[in-house]
Amino acid sequence: MSERRTLFDKVWDSHVVRKIEKGPDVLFIDRHLVHEVTSPVAFLGLKNRNSKVLYPERTFATADHNTPTINQHLPVKDPLSANQLKALEENAKEYGIPYWGLGHQKNGIVHVIGPENGITLPGVTVVCGDSHTSTHGAFGAIAFGIGTSEVEMVLSTQCIMQVKPRKMRITIDGSLNKAVTPKDVALYIISQLSTSGATGYFVEYAGEVFRNMSMEGRMTVCNLSIEMGARGGMIAPDEKTFSYIKGREFTPKGEEWDKAMAYWKSLYSDADAEFDKEVVFDGSVIEPMITYGTNPGMGIGISSGIPTAESMDGGVATYRKSLEYMDFKEGDAMLGKKIDFVFLGSCTNGRIEDFRAFAEVVKGRKKADHVTAWLVPGSHRVEEAIEKEGILAILEEAGFQLREPGCSACLAMNDDKIPAGKYAVSTSNRNFEGRQGPGARTLLASPLVAAAAAVTGRVTDPRELMELETA
Amino acid sequence: MAYDKFNVLKSSAVPLPIENVDTDQIIPARFLKATERKGFGDNLFRDWRYHPDNSPKEHFVLNNPIYQGKILVGGKNFGSGSSREHAAWAIYDYGFRCVVSSFFADIFRNNCLNIGVLPVQVSPAFLQKIFEAIEKDPKAEFTIDLPSQTITIDASSEQEEFDINPYKKENMLNGYDDIDYLLSMKDEIEDFAGGLPL
């Protein structure tokens, strides 16, 4: 084996159980996260084959996608949703899988609770029937989303069959400007690469910008890897990573910790390791970002205008269809556009740092009267921190209410649907047609941009509000 | 789950010349509440296909009886977004056995291969020729030959080869799935797991 290996090579190669000639690798999965929406048919398959879950202790289940975010103590009203939740609860019980359902103290969005509980660790492989599993790559794990057939494979054999992806490194140095958050960095990358620019690749993020980022910021960036088409993205673990995971419930302890550290310290790309593709950006040119179209690649600096169809490299018809759906015009300024809804939450931006950022802007201000705001913490632990740190008081003073944890309006499977034709500034990850409800129009942005929109009722540069404070 | 074997498919095709068709369009999230794999074809492209009052949108291609067939032809970057296998199920359940595009999103491509829908990636120029052939004659037939890995526009005999992993090809030809393979190597997997650090 070559001495010059990337971080990705090191983790992938150490998990290959068997290499099939001219075929995929049989890859061992250390951690399998399960939720109610993509698992029922996999459990059915397991039953039909009379199989069992090979390693229940490597499997963790939660309810998040299809859950209400108010009155979680009451029975779930929608019978189909209730049935799906019941199915997961019963399957977890039957196969001996830990299940953190509605009301459980550890309940929350699957990609928020994995790291919180020390399930996500450097150098492990993590899968889940959800494309944003890439989030866990922030810890130096190989983490990616899978389909339901593969969920069944992992339940019954703890393995899947995958062709090893190619490797891309995205390096960003330079210092970020004021009010430029990890979300903006990710939206910037996607706007440059497009939603298919990294398809077929696994990304490693490198450089000063990512080194300086908090673990939560790294999670936001890795989370959005899938939106550039990549299977996943990862960042080499460092002291920040180790201090984040230390002492968490499922993190190794004592001698096991020392043993693990010896492995984790080897997890970096060798100096002369080769990538199939290298991309370099300058962090200092990034502005707070916002999207104007119907895929996450259609993002611009907030003070820019909407590009013209002629300037796009791609189908003009598809581009115009997208703007028509949004009811925007080529060349329009984004600043000042009236908005109706604000959504703070999701596996992308539903962590405590996101609520801190949002509170920083709305503190001492009032929510605009015509704006409906849904603030949804990523987990009960985030919810507790919001209260304990005094953020709840700030939010309530400004006219906001907090909802209960879940995926909520990010995919609008529950009742949290943005009405047709309405504009929502969302901290989530996808602005596809109808993603947040049939006919809903989504503008993806950071928690700071969302907060500025929530108090002004319009697309607003958060720097304007933040500068007033420092002036 | 077992699926029909795929060998040679000769069929007309349904054109969807839109780029970046994401899995939320193929099957919106609100239709993912089932606990069984049944009836997803009814909601394939739900919001492009039906008005909010459930009446069909006349101009959408699936509501135009001129276009029929087991092949769906989409624009570049087909199947991006969510990992929901329900998207592939909806396509299969509706009656398609093959999706043709000039570029596929990763997870969607894998999901298709796992359930018996053949993703055929062609060059942008050939994709254009396919759209033109359908425009000229909506009943135009295409031959997708998996053993020889070729797609042919029958009327003009224009042909292009496509790639597929040899292991996956074998599976599609025989209707096998990965789970049987993995179950057959369980002892090896358990030995391997014993030697892992975490």
Side-chain angles (χ1 to χ4, degrees), chain A residues 20-87:
Chain A
I20 299 170
E21 207 188 327
K22 291 185 191 160
D25 290 344
V26 175
L27 192 73
F28 189 86
I29 302 303
D30 294 308
R31 304 284 185 272
H32 185 196
L33 308 173
V34 174
H35 66 84
E36 75 277 23
V37 176
T38 55
S39 67
V41 173
F43 280 110
L44 267 187
L46 210 62
K47 281 191 187 97
N48 290 340
R49 283 174 209 259
N50 215 6
S51 202
K52 62 180 186 66
V53 176
L54 186 58
Y55 293 110
E57 69 275 21
R58 293 182 179 274
T59 315
F60 302 86
T62 188
D64 57 1
H65 279 63
N66 193 6
T67 54
T69 56
I70 46 168
N71 294 326
Q72 287 187 350
H73 60 290
L74 298 177
V76 173
K77 275 191 203 150
D78 176 2
L80 287 176
S81 302
N83 185 45
Q84 206 170 47
L85 293 167
K86 191 168 138 249

Side-chain angles (χ1 to χ4, degrees), chain A residues 39 56 67 77 94 101 108 222 230 257 265 280 282 312 321 339 389 430 450-451:
Chain A
S39 67
T67 54
K77 275 191 203 150
E94 182 175 348
C222 289
W257 170 270
K265 295 251 176 180
V280 178
D282 173 2
M312 304 304 294
K321 179 178 180 296
I339 60 106
E389 293 185 13
R430 288 185 175 135

Side-chain angles (χ1 to χ4, degrees), chain A residues 37-44 84 147-152, chain B residues 1-3 23 26-27 31-44 83-97 108 111-112 114-117:
Chain A
V37 176
T38 55
S39 67
V41 173
F43 280 110
L44 267 187
Q84 206 170 47
T148 296
S149 296
E150 293 167 313
V151 172
E152 186 186 337
Chain B
M1 188 158 164
Y3 56 83
T23 53
I26 300 173
I27 182 112
F31 300 107
L32 308 183
K33 295 185 181 185
T35 52
E36 289 176 281
R37 194 185 139 181
K38 273 204 296 218
F40 285 102
D42 296 343
N43 295 314
L44 175 67
S83 63
R84 59 188 71 163
E85 194 168 295
H86 312 64
W89 297 342
I91 286 170
Y92 186 96
D93 190 43
Y94 184 88
F96 293 115
R97 289 294 173 271
F108 177 78
N111 286 342
C112 284
N114 280 334
I115 68 146
V117 172

